[in-house]
Amino acid sequence: MNILKKIDNVNYNFMKNRKIFFIIPIIILAAAIIFAFTLGVNMDVKFKGGTIINVPYSQSVDMEKVQEIASRQLEADCIVQSLDGAQSSQLVITSSNVGEVTSQMIESLLNELKENFPENITVTEISDVGVTNVDSQIRSNFFKKSLIAIFATFVAIIVYIGIRFRNIGGVSAAFIAILALIHDIAFVFATMVFCRFVLSDVFIAVTLIVLGYSLNNTIVVFDRIRENRKLLGKEEPVAKIVNVSINQILSRSVNISLIAVFAILVVLIIGLIYHVNLIVTFTLPLIVGILASFYMSIFVSGLLWVIWKEKHPNSRKSKRKKKKSKKPTQVDEAAEEINVRTSFKINKKAAKDWYNSNEDK
């Protein structure tokens, strides 16, 4: 409680250390990219194509031993996961082979599993083993639909934020919000890569949750900036308005993020205790995504907007002035000429009289 009270009264200068705030995520994401290219990414068959084999079992088995048997019998790299249900449990074996798993391979796999785990593998017939093939056509359709959904989401975000925050430069705020989404998804991906998790539909589920959380955080930041700009006035420096706004929402963001992280952390601990891989692969990237969203909204989004506004000050006003400006009339030219000659300003009436007298001559 004392920590939260201190956060309420904090007045931190975020702009002062913005370079450090920008460098930290860049280093982490660069390490994740290098790690991914060096060791590769474990991708589910739904992403790269392959075969999924479901083998019913009871009690616990040695997953590494099952993976070794499956890779040898199916003649391909395999990933083994456990799927525990209310009535029965299954070994989910994913192979990179696409349409090349024959009934003889499955029979050999089943027989060797029975030899090594006679009390655990209770399957008697091959028909009890589920086999699903994911070919390249399904994979390409999946990626196309995913890209279309992402593009439509980004367009909707640009339109919504652009209209809602049009008084403070809605388009720039919208693009920074999209950058925040990409940042948070990248951290979820980095967690999957560092922990050697399989990139599956779990990744998509976590991504969708983090997207909603990230977008909400970004909107809160820009909403407070908009309100403070009205209160403090447009003459106040943008950096000061943003810094005040971030300090005001800091306590709220810390509280919400900690509550969410602690709740998910309990589920993660349960998954680790009972060795439920599906829970672990879901909760750990989700925790990292929430923390990344908090970091981006507090330490990066507003500061990036300040940099943008400093490089493009009053862009809308300058455009309006250019549209409203007219070509100088003959009277204006006459006033300018008299101003130059006499070194003082006169009104347009005097300029008009001067112009008419010269025209009569």
Side-chain angles (χ1 to χ4, degrees):
M1 295 298 293
N2 292 330
I3 296 175
L4 296 180
K5 287 181 180 179
K6 290 180 181 179
I7 293 174
D8 284 332
N9 300 322
V10 75
N11 187 18
Y12 188 75
N13 188 359
F14 292 94
M15 293 299 301
K16 182 180 179 181
N17 299 312
R18 59 184 178 184
K19 291 183 179 180
I20 298 175
F21 297 147
F22 295 161
I23 290 172
I24 291 173
I26 291 173
I27 293 174
I28 296 174
L29 294 178
I33 293 171
I34 295 171
F35 201 80
F37 277 103
T38 306
L39 299 178
V41 181
N42 294 330
M43 301 183 70
D44 189 69
V45 292
K46 294 177 183 177
F47 288 89
K48 64 179 182 179
T51 304
I52 305 173
I53 302 172
N54 296 342
V55 181
Y57 78 103
S58 60
Q59 300 178 7
S60 60
V61 295
D62 186 354
M63 291 295 179
E64 293 183 0
K65 183 67 175 177
V66 174
Q67 184 175 358
E68 180 186 342
I69 294 171
S71 299
R72 184 171 59 255
Q73 292 294 339
L74 300 178
E75 300 176 358
D77 294 332
C78 295
I79 298 172
V80 180
Q81 293 176 306
S82 62
L83 183 61
D84 299 324
Q87 298 178 348
S88 62
S89 300
Q90 291 184 341
L91 291 172
V92 181
I93 303 170
T94 58
S95 170
S96 57
N97 284 333
V98 183
E100 298 178 1
V101 178
T102 62
S103 57
Q104 290 81 5
M105 288 182 176
I106 297 175
E107 186 176 1
S108 301
L109 171 64
L110 193 58
N111 291 334
E112 189 168 352
L113 288 175
K114 285 181 178 180
E115 291 176 3
N116 287 271
F117 310 102
E119 297 180 357
N120 306 99
I121 307 299
T122 57
V123 180
T124 56
E125 297 181 2
I126 299 179
S127 57
D128 295 330
V129 177
V131 180
T132 305
N133 290 314
V134 181
D135 58 17
S136 58
Q137 182 69 28
I138 298 174
R139 178 187 61 184
S140 61
N141 290 336
F142 176 78
F143 272 110
K144 286 179 183 178
K145 291 179 180 178
S146 299
L147 291 175
I148 292 171
I150 292 171
F151 179 76
T153 302
F154 283 177
V155 170
I157 290 171
I158 292 173
V159 172
Y160 172 73
I161 297 182
I163 294 173
R164 180 168 178 176
F165 299 105
R166 59 187 179 276
N167 294 332
I168 61 170
V171 176
S172 58
F175 279 103
I176 290 173
I178 291 176
L179 184 63
L181 297 181
I182 296 172
H183 168 273
D184 299 339
I185 295 172
F187 266 83
V188 173
F189 175 78
T191 307
M192 305 288 283
V193 171
F194 285 133
C195 297
R196 308 306 295 160
F197 292 153
V198 179
L199 208 67
S200 62
D201 46 6
V202 174
F203 171 73
I204 298 175
V206 174
T207 298
L208 292 175
I209 297 173
V210 172
L211 284 179
Y213 193 87
S214 174
L215 186 59
N216 177 70
N217 284 348
T218 305
I219 288 176
V220 168
V221 172
F222 285 111
D223 188 66
R224 184 54 62 94
I225 292 172
R226 181 181 61 180
E227 296 301 321
N228 283 332
R229 196 182 185 194
K230 292 179 182 177
L231 295 173
L232 300 177
K234 296 181 180 180
E235 285 71 25
E236 284 289 339
V238 177
K240 180 180 177 181
I241 295 174
V242 171
N243 201 73
V244 170
S245 302
I246 296 174
N247 277 288
Q248 288 175 350
I249 66 170
L250 182 61
S251 176
R252 170 199 175 277
S253 298
V254 169
N255 291 336
I256 292 178
S257 299
L258 286 179
I259 290 171
V261 167
F262 285 149
I264 301 170
L265 188 62
V266 173
V267 181
L268 173 61
I269 293 172
I270 293 173
L272 290 171
I273 292 173
Y274 291 96
H275 304 286
V276 184
N277 294 330
L278 188 61
I279 293 178
V280 176
T281 55
F282 177 79
T283 53
L284 183 57
L286 183 58
I287 290 173
V288 174
I290 290 174
L291 294 177
S293 176
F294 165 78
Y295 184 90
M296 185 69 183
S297 63
I298 297 297
F299 299 103
V300 180
S301 295
L303 308 186
L304 280 177
W305 187 75
V306 171
I307 295 173
W308 173 267
K309 296 299 287 184
E310 288 177 348
K311 289 185 177 180
H312 304 83
N314 300 325
S315 57
R316 292 180 65 185
K317 291 183 179 179
S318 60
K319 289 180 180 179
R320 288 178 181 176
K321 288 181 180 178
K322 288 180 181 179
K323 290 182 180 179
K324 290 181 179 179
S325 62
K326 299 178 181 179
K327 293 182 177 179
T329 61
Q330 291 178 329
V331 174
D332 294 328
E333 291 176 353
E336 182 65 25
E337 186 176 348
I338 293 177
N339 283 337
V340 172
R341 291 181 178 181
T342 58
S343 301
F344 62 87
K345 294 183 179 179
I346 62 173
N347 56 34
K348 287 188 176 181
K349 185 176 182 302
K352 188 175 181 180
D353 294 339
W354 179 89
Y355 177 76
N356 291 333
S357 63
N358 278 280
E359 192 173 6
D360 293 337
K361 293 177 181 180

